[in-house]
Amino acid sequence: MFTFILKRILEAIPTLFILITISFFLMHSAPGSPFSSERALPPEVLANINAMYHLDEPVINQFFYYLGGLLQGDLGPSFRYKDFTINELIAQSFPVSAEIGLWSFLIALTIGVGCGITAALRQNSWLDYSVMGVANLGIVLPNFVLAPLCILFFSIYNHWLPPGGWNGGAWPYLVMPVIAMSTSYIAQIARITRGSMIETMHSNFIRTARAKGLPKYRIILQHALRPAMLPVVSYLGPAFVGIVTGSVIVDVYFGTGGIGQHFINGALNRDYSMVMGVTILVGTLTILFNAIVDILYAVIDPKIRY
Amino acid sequence: MKKTLLASAIIATTFIAMQTQAANVPAGVELAAKQELVRGGGSEPATLDPQKIEGTPGSIRSRDLFEGLYNQDGDGNQVPGVATSYDVNADNTQYTFHLRRDAKWSNGDPVTAEDFVYAFTRAVDPALASPYAWFMEIPSIVNATKIIAGEAEPSSLGVKAIDAYTFQVTLERPVPYFVKMTSHQTMFPVPKKVVEKWGSDWTKPEHMVSNGAYKMDAWIVNEKMEFTRNTHYWNDAKTIINEVTYLPIESPNAELKRFQSGQMDLSYELPNDHFKQLMRDIPDEVSVTPKLGTYYYQYNITKAPYNDVRVRKALSYAIDRDVITKFVTGTGELPAYSFTPEVVNDFSPATPEYATWTQKERNEKAKALLEEAGFNKNNQLSFSLLYNTNENHKKIAIAIASMWKKTLGVNVILENQEWKTYLETKKHQQFDVARSGWVGDYNEASTMLDLLTTTHGNNDGKYSNAEYDTLLTEARTMQKPATNYNKAEEIAIEQDMAVAPIYQYTEKRLIKSYLGGYMPNPEDNIYARDMYIIKH
């Protein structure tokens, strides 16, 4: 297992490098510059700004400047937020998204798996249809609809929760972002769990277990659950990365200050270093959690060995 | 316990007594005990460094944190800020500002003429690379252009401190409206000691020192920015609001929800789609005021047939501006027939003749002009209309394209581009007709009219008329340039139809009925220190 982890880490380095290289050149090939604005800057002013950020040099030089900084852990200055470095912005916003994400993930996992198993065990019953109906609703109800609905219900009509802000992560500020963030994941996890559980329950080894007269709860807990969880675990790796790196909608509607807004704004503002910083963060987390998923696979299914 | 209660009572009494001394609170108005203002701040500002700010989100916040030589009142007139008065020489080239002696930074240091010298010099210094350095070139401060271009030392800028409280600015040519420019953040002072000590980190809440009515307490990107009273501010005794919180919310819908839930007192804007409903439900909380800006369509005059004035006029005449403002935007905008909006200070643009016609007459004239230019059923005019991604721009483009189709038989292809791509496309004249908008930087007609001069960096349509350029150049040295401005309007719009003005912008906000002292002006220079929360 140790060799496997080491191998994954070593594999991650060239993967990340390729990701950084492609992202860097793609970003720089987009039309417009970080400093193009409605008020066209006089050429001499633009020249001063470009010189300050090395934008007056060939892109390849800029790439090496960037790599140089990166090797020292410096993600560079933000082209947009001039009073902050990318390190500072990510350090400020990522913990917010991570906290919302972790809560959302735990809730999505618990409720999603619970609903999925319940629906699978009562396949084609009213319970199955009800649970999956709600799950489908969760999938088709995007969070840009859910977020304002939450504010309408919890804040405007009932004054139970503050409509936005973060306030250091105090729980009243956490509730609605977590609801908006977790709903679609609950639905997805429930669907995957249900499908996988139904398939497992129709397997030969379950039939054998039934024939041997094992009680149902033992069949489910000891025999069906582990193999049924494999597709769920596969889904959880990328889902976890997606969930902890935040959502633009959640950030916009609830003003949490999470990292989600940086995804879109970085690209729209041509904030090259912001896009790169977020890409590296997501890339690293994706590689890390895919490795964790692989390890979990081995834990869940003893047949899998690395 | 009794002692605590007594102390609280004394503090409360003192506080209320202090509040009632506020100069601008009308008699009989009872103030709320909690004087905390929460306002929408648009998007997250790119910076709070006055000489680096280039966007509205930064400039609205900077007016609470910093104070320049002059401020603006509710009508957009200049009122003393750090300067109490100024002298100007006979030919408007040397302005001497007399600074108040009680102006202080939030750390207690006095605000001196040296601070202004430092800030002005900083704005043009290539080492800072201020995106608004060009703002210092407009009034032609001595050597500003050369310094920006790296051809002169920053220290050679035409600014000097005669003494600690006398600041002098020398211009290369007469600019009568120079004082109007001093309420812009690029000309705000910055604390030299603090900037030099902390470098670009000086704007962090733990380091920032400011000279406005407020100082910064917290800045959490994309969540909020918190300001508290600067007790050293010279007019602190007349400041009522104790805390100002700015929420960086880009979505007007999200902002509306915050307002409705009571978490916001003053919004940055309001969602156009909800305007009618809001006017019906909470008319007292909707504010619509004229703004110094014009929404217009720009022709690419470098290519045919847009280099033909008949085509430009035909397209402009066929736009029913009343329909656009009443039914498409529908949020209080005024139809525009001139380029300079009516709200501008010291100038009332003359009504062009085509504005006096009925739309039917304009349409008839448009058809005739287009026919004259060689376009008819057999030779239909087709072109693309460029706009940047935005629901309102799209709606307006659809409406105008349909007017052109219906009236003139013109085929229009709508071309939507993402913001930065759109800017590049326009900059390189890769368009036929494009949406544009311009909001003035200072309250004087040249802030609009200069845009159509041959060499202006934002004249993307490349309109050029030597007489127009001369009129604008002359106007810079005139005490009363209105005659030139009217002639310039006549040439650019009535004669050449350089662009098609569509509507004059308005500032639309939601304001809680308990918020007093909100004094919008055409440049939207509003200050939290003028406001107060009424007991509710």
Side-chain angles (χ1 to χ4, degrees), chain B residues 48-115:
Chain B
L48 280 184
D49 185 326
Q51 277 79 50
K52 288 187 192 170
I53 292 171
E54 58 178 321
T56 310
S59 62
I60 58 170
R61 289 160 174 87
S62 73
R63 282 190 284 274
D64 285 339
L65 293 171
F66 297 92
E67 182 170 73
L69 295 163
Y70 276 80
N71 298 317
Q72 282 192 348
D73 66 12
D75 298 320
N77 300 312
Q78 302 308 118
V79 288
V82 176
T84 51
S85 63
Y86 70 93
D87 307 317
V88 59
N89 64 356
D91 65 352
N92 286 323
T93 54
Q94 197 165 66
Y95 287 82
T96 308
F97 296 92
H98 304 285
L99 312 188
R100 61 177 74 249
R101 284 159 197 267
D102 54 349
K104 287 194 171 64
W105 292 100
S106 54
N107 63 0
D109 289 351
V111 178
T112 64
E114 270 305 333
D115 294 322

Side-chain angles (χ1 to χ4, degrees), chain A residues 114-227:
Chain A
C115 287
I117 292 173
T118 310
L121 295 178
R122 297 277 186 276
Q123 196 190 351
N124 298 332
S125 70
W126 67 268
L127 191 65
D128 180 19
Y129 295 139
S130 316
V131 169
M132 293 328 289
V134 173
N136 281 329
L137 193 67
I139 290 169
V140 297
L141 198 68
N143 55 6
F144 64 82
V145 173
L146 196 60
L149 284 178
C150 279
I151 296 175
L152 208 61
F153 180 75
F154 290 111
S155 303
I156 297 177
Y157 292 159
N158 293 304
H159 301 283
W160 290 337
L161 295 168
W166 181 239
N167 206 18
W171 75 265
Y173 294 82
L174 195 62
V175 176
M176 285 195 286
V178 167
I179 292 174
M181 194 78 183
S182 58
T183 307
S184 66
Y185 288 96
I186 291 175
Q188 290 284 7
I189 293 172
R191 276 167 59 92
I192 296 168
T193 308
R194 178 185 177 272
S196 177
M197 196 72 184
I198 288 171
E199 198 184 326
T200 311
M201 291 302 281
H202 287 98
S203 305
N204 288 339
F205 71 94
I206 296 291
R207 209 172 294 131
T208 309
R210 278 204 189 109
K212 281 160 67 178
L214 285 178
K216 198 172 180 182
Y217 76 93
R218 279 190 61 189
I219 294 173
I220 294 164
L221 293 178
Q222 286 184 357
H223 297 274
L225 203 53
R226 288 179 85 170

Side-chain angles (χ1 to χ4, degrees), chain B residues 70-251:
Chain B
Y70 276 80
N71 298 317
Q72 282 192 348
D73 66 12
D75 298 320
N77 300 312
Q78 302 308 118
V79 288
V82 176
T84 51
S85 63
Y86 70 93
D87 307 317
V88 59
N89 64 356
D91 65 352
N92 286 323
T93 54
Q94 197 165 66
Y95 287 82
T96 308
F97 296 92
H98 304 285
L99 312 188
R100 61 177 74 249
R101 284 159 197 267
D102 54 349
K104 287 194 171 64
W105 292 100
S106 54
N107 63 0
D109 289 351
V111 178
T112 64
E114 270 305 333
D115 294 322
F116 282 95
V117 170
Y118 178 63
F120 276 52
T121 310
R122 205 171 168 255
V124 292
D125 190 344
L128 188 83
S130 166
Y132 251 67
W134 58 268
F135 192 79
M136 310 301 273
E137 291 184 86
I138 294 177
S140 74
I141 300 177
V142 168
N143 279 340
T145 303
K146 281 186 185 166
I147 298 166
I148 294 166
E151 293 162 5
E153 283 301 308
S155 55
S156 65
L157 187 72
V159 290
K160 79 176 165 190
I162 307 276
D163 60 45
Y165 297 101
T166 314
F167 173 60
Q168 193 174 70
V169 183
T170 309
L171 312 179
E172 286 170 359
R173 53 176 171 74
V175 177
Y177 53 84
F178 174 64
V179 178
K180 291 183 178 183
M181 300 183 74
T182 62
S183 49
H184 193 275
Q185 75 273 349
T186 311
M187 294 188 182
F188 285 173
V190 288
K192 185 178 178 183
K193 251 185 353 191
V194 181
V195 177
E196 285 180 347
K197 183 176 178 186
W198 297 106
S200 58
D201 273 349
W202 82 274
T203 51
K204 297 277 162 63
E206 60 272 28
H207 306 315
M208 187 187 255
V209 166
S210 56
N211 75 321
Y214 298 89
K215 59 191 175 75
M216 183 160 54
D217 249 19
W219 182 357
I220 305 167
V221 175
N222 286 337
E223 189 198 346
K224 63 181 173 181
M225 201 178 271
E226 287 176 341
F227 301 163
T228 51
R229 286 258 288 267
N230 169 13
T231 51
H232 293 287
Y233 179 58
W234 64 270
N235 206 14
D236 183 55
K238 288 188 176 177
T239 304
I240 309 283
I241 300 284
N242 295 318
E243 282 179 29
V244 187
T245 302
Y246 278 92
L247 303 177
I249 305 172
E250 283 185 44
S251 156

Side-chain angles (χ1 to χ4, degrees), chain B residues 167-451:
Chain B
F167 173 60
Q168 193 174 70
V169 183
T170 309
L171 312 179
E172 286 170 359
R173 53 176 171 74
V175 177
Y177 53 84
F178 174 64
V179 178
K180 291 183 178 183
M181 300 183 74
T182 62
S183 49
H184 193 275
Q185 75 273 349
T186 311
M187 294 188 182
F188 285 173
V190 288
K192 185 178 178 183
K193 251 185 353 191
V194 181
V195 177
E196 285 180 347
K197 183 176 178 186
W198 297 106
S200 58
D201 273 349
W202 82 274
T203 51
K204 297 277 162 63
E206 60 272 28
H207 306 315
M208 187 187 255
V209 166
S210 56
N211 75 321
Y214 298 89
K215 59 191 175 75
M216 183 160 54
D217 249 19
W219 182 357
I220 305 167
V221 175
N222 286 337
E223 189 198 346
K224 63 181 173 181
M225 201 178 271
E226 287 176 341
F227 301 163
T228 51
R229 286 258 288 267
N230 169 13
T231 51
H232 293 287
Y233 179 58
W234 64 270
N235 206 14
D236 183 55
K238 288 188 176 177
T239 304
I240 309 283
I241 300 284
N242 295 318
E243 282 179 29
V244 187
T245 302
Y246 278 92
L247 303 177
I249 305 172
E250 283 185 44
S251 156
N253 283 314
E255 211 186 14
L256 174 63
K257 295 277 179 291
R258 295 275 193 116
F259 184 85
Q260 286 173 322
S261 67
Q263 209 200 25
M264 187 186 282
D265 309 307
L266 176 63
S267 75
Y268 180 76
E269 55 186 334
L270 56 80
N272 286 356
D273 292 344
H274 292 70
F275 183 76
K276 285 193 180 115
Q277 186 203 340
L278 291 167
M279 284 300 282
R280 198 177 53 232
D281 297 346
I282 47 168
D284 296 345
E285 295 188 337
V286 178
S287 160
V288 182
T289 53
K291 189 172 173 174
L292 184 60
T294 304
Y295 189 100
Y296 61 99
Y297 274 2
Q298 195 165 37
Y299 305 108
N300 182 1
I301 296 174
T302 63
K303 64 195 266 194
Y306 319 101
N307 54 357
D308 184 338
V309 66
R310 292 168 300 187
V311 173
R312 298 199 298 268
K313 279 188 175 176
L315 293 175
S316 178
Y317 291 168
I319 299 170
D320 189 335
R321 290 152 175 90
D322 288 325
V323 168
I324 299 294
T325 51
K326 271 185 199 155
F327 305 109
V328 182
T329 58
T331 53
E333 291 81 4
L334 290 171
Y337 297 92
S338 59
F339 190 55
T340 312
E342 288 162 17
V343 72
V344 73
N345 230 348
D346 297 331
F347 172 57
S348 300
T351 310
E353 198 193 340
Y354 80 103
T356 60
W357 305 342
T358 63
Q359 188 57 42
K360 199 179 163 197
E361 286 168 334
R362 278 194 285 266
N363 289 347
E364 290 308 316
K365 186 76 181 163
K367 278 183 213 167
L369 281 167
L370 205 63
E371 184 82 34
E372 219 179 283
F375 294 98
N376 48 43
K377 276 182 188 168
N378 301 323
N379 181 27
Q380 283 189 329
L381 175 62
S382 297
F383 61 85
S384 73
L385 173 59
L386 175 71
Y387 64 94
N388 58 296
T389 311
N390 176 291
E391 264 315 299
N392 285 331
H393 300 333
K394 189 177 171 181
K395 279 185 203 167
I396 294 167
I398 290 171
I400 291 178
S402 122
M403 287 171 191
W404 283 337
K405 176 79 186 165
K406 196 176 154 200
T407 313
L408 305 172
V410 169
N411 292 315
V412 182
I413 301 151
L414 300 184
E415 194 181 348
N416 171 29
Q417 288 184 356
E418 169 268 348
W419 177 241
K420 295 260 180 183
T421 312
Y422 152 87
L423 290 177
E424 282 297 297
T425 307
K426 271 210 315 168
K427 195 170 112 185
H428 294 105
Q429 289 78 49
Q430 293 163 341
F431 67 98
D432 299 328
V433 180
R435 175 216 82 86
S436 285
W438 190 257
V439 176
D441 288 301
Y442 50 95
N443 199 344
E444 214 267 349
S446 62
T447 194
M448 299 297 299
L449 294 170
D450 273 350
L451 191 75

